[in-house]
């Protein structure tokens, strides 16, 4: 199933996208969030769909597309998780996942504007596969156990400010947590519909020029391993988002480092998860 949220910020309508229609879920839930996922919401929607009980949302095409999940408790990110990306930045392959956190308030819609921070000269792009947690996970026994706690997958843009991240000391978080730095969506696709998440193509272009064209098959640490690994250090809760890394082609690794400027347009796509488009503006 494919879940989305439509409408202005703070007034989003939860919908199921099915056969080209947006079906209103207000009769089942007020939000697509951790509580919905933890309480069997996906199953309730499936039953209502089978019973033809979901009304079509009028004028859906005229509404803003919001992030497909609301207010994740935390965003956990994995750095240097693609072999080609590590190669382009001159970094050694990590022997354990590189973990950092991102402020959940960075979440925005897939077509919202992205703000270049004041004083920024190295704002960069990163197309990523996002994993949405659907059940509480702590101390999973083995990577295959991750399947039972993954609700689905989403297209995520882990926007980064490289000077803040790498040249200003301390942790990476301050180069990752600037306002609007995690556009998400357009849809949350349940795991059963995605198929093999380690065989998805990821693409990103800037002003029509293809910059990233990779595959999740190039991950150093696979999705199951990441979820299992994180559960050894923190409790993963329903609605949490994991950004699983980016393939080669970021500005940091390209000749001339063509970092983003106001007016640039970034377009992103992951197989089966939809497309997104953001315009950069100055904060």
């Amino acid at each position: 199933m494919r879940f989305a949220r439509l409408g202005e910020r703070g007034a989003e309508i939860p919908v199921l996208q099915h056969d080209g229609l947006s079906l209103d879920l207000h009769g089942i839930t007020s939000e697509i969030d951790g509580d919905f996922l933890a309480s069997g919401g996906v199953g309730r929607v499936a039953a209502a769909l089978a019973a033809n009980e979901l009304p079509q949302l009028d004028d859906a095409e005229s509404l803003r597309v919001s992030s497909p999940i609301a207010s994740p408790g935390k965003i956990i990110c994995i750095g240097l998780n693609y072999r080609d990306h590590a190669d382009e930045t001159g970094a050694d392959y990590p022997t354990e996942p590189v973990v950092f956190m991102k402020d959940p308030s960075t979440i925005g819609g897939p077509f919202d504007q992205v703000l270049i921070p004041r004083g920024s000269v190295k704002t960069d792009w990163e197309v990523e596969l996002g994993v949405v947690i659907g059940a509480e996970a702590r101390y999973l026994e083995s990577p295959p156990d991750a399947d039972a706690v993954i609700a689905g997958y989403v297209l995520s843009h882990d926007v980064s400010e490289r000077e803040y991240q790498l040249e200003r000391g301390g942790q990476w978080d301050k180069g990752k947590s600037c306002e609007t730095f995690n556009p998400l969506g357009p849809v949350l696709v349940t795991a059963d519909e995605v198929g093999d998440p380690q065989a998805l193509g990821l693409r990103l272009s800037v002003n029509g020029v293809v910059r990233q064209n990779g595959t999740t098959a190039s991950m150093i640490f696979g999705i199951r391993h990441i979820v299992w690994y994180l559960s050894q250090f923190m409790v993963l809760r329903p609605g949490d988002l994991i950004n699983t890394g980016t393939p080669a082609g970021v500005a940091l690794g390209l000749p001339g480092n063509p970092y983003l400027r106001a007016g640039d347009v970034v377009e992103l796509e992951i197989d089966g998860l939809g497309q997104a488009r953001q315009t950069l503006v100055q904060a």
Side-chain angles (χ1 to χ4, degrees):
M1 287 186 286
R2 305 169 70 86
F3 293 96
R5 298 167 64 245
L6 306 179
E8 293 307 309
R9 191 181 294 272
E12 290 93 344
I13 301 167
V15 302
L16 175 70
Q17 294 190 341
H18 180 74
D19 286 344
L21 302 176
S22 293
L23 304 179
D24 192 341
L25 298 181
H26 264 141
I28 296 175
T29 184
S30 61
E31 267 296 10
I32 305 299
D33 58 8
D35 289 342
F36 168 79
L37 296 171
S39 65
V42 172
R44 294 196 301 275
V45 170
L49 178 64
N52 198 30
E53 296 174 347
L54 299 177
Q56 182 176 349
L57 179 65
D58 294 331
D59 301 322
E61 293 183 357
S62 67
L63 298 176
R64 167 184 173 265
V65 181
S66 186
S67 59
I69 58 170
S71 304
K74 54 184 173 290
I75 302 174
I76 313 134
C77 301
I78 307 299
L80 295 172
N81 195 35
Y82 282 71
R83 295 174 181 85
D84 54 1
H85 177 51
D87 291 342
E88 73 174 345
T89 59
D92 294 333
Y93 296 170
T95 57
E96 293 192 36
V98 175
V99 179
F100 61 93
M101 309 294 284
K102 189 161 185 160
D103 179 1
S105 72
T106 58
I107 291 288
F111 305 103
D112 291 350
Q113 293 179 333
V114 171
L115 301 178
I116 296 176
R118 294 183 182 182
S120 167
V121 294
K122 295 184 178 181
T123 295
D124 205 347
W125 57 82
E126 293 189 18
V127 60
E128 306 207 7
L129 176 64
V131 177
V132 178
I133 298 298
E136 193 168 278
R138 54 166 58 80
Y139 300 117
L140 295 178
E141 291 293 332
S142 65
D145 294 333
D147 289 344
V149 304
I150 295 174
Y153 300 92
V154 64
L155 169 58
S156 186
H157 188 183
D158 178 21
V159 187
S160 308
E161 213 297 338
R162 302 301 189 187
E163 182 185 19
Y164 301 173
Q165 176 190 358
L166 302 172
E167 302 174 28
R168 299 283 294 273
Q171 304 289 323
W172 285 9
D173 301 42
K174 64 176 174 281
K176 298 284 188 171
S177 292
C178 303
E179 186 179 11
T180 73
F181 262 29
N182 205 143
L184 196 70
V187 289
L188 167 64
V189 182
T190 52
D192 62 300
E193 189 169 317
V194 170
D196 183 0
Q198 301 294 170
L200 301 177
L202 309 86
R203 293 165 292 278
L204 180 147
S205 65
V206 180
N207 300 329
V209 177
V210 175
R211 294 300 192 182
Q212 293 184 277
N213 187 4
T215 170
T216 56
S218 296
M219 286 184 180
I220 296 171
F221 302 103
I223 293 157
R224 286 173 166 175
H225 183 94
I226 289 168
V227 174
W228 163 79
Y229 181 87
L230 291 174
S231 78
Q232 310 306 306
F233 302 98
M234 64 187 79
V235 178
L236 302 177
R237 303 187 188 280
D240 285 351
L241 172 67
I242 304 171
N243 287 332
T244 57
T246 197
V250 298
L252 176 65
L254 290 174
N257 305 124
Y259 291 111
L260 294 166
R261 299 289 184 264
D264 287 346
V265 176
V266 180
E267 296 173 286
L268 312 90
E269 180 179 16
I270 297 180
D271 294 344
L273 301 184
Q275 300 173 328
R277 184 180 189 272
Q278 296 118 34
T279 300
L280 279 292
V281 299
Q282 185 63 52

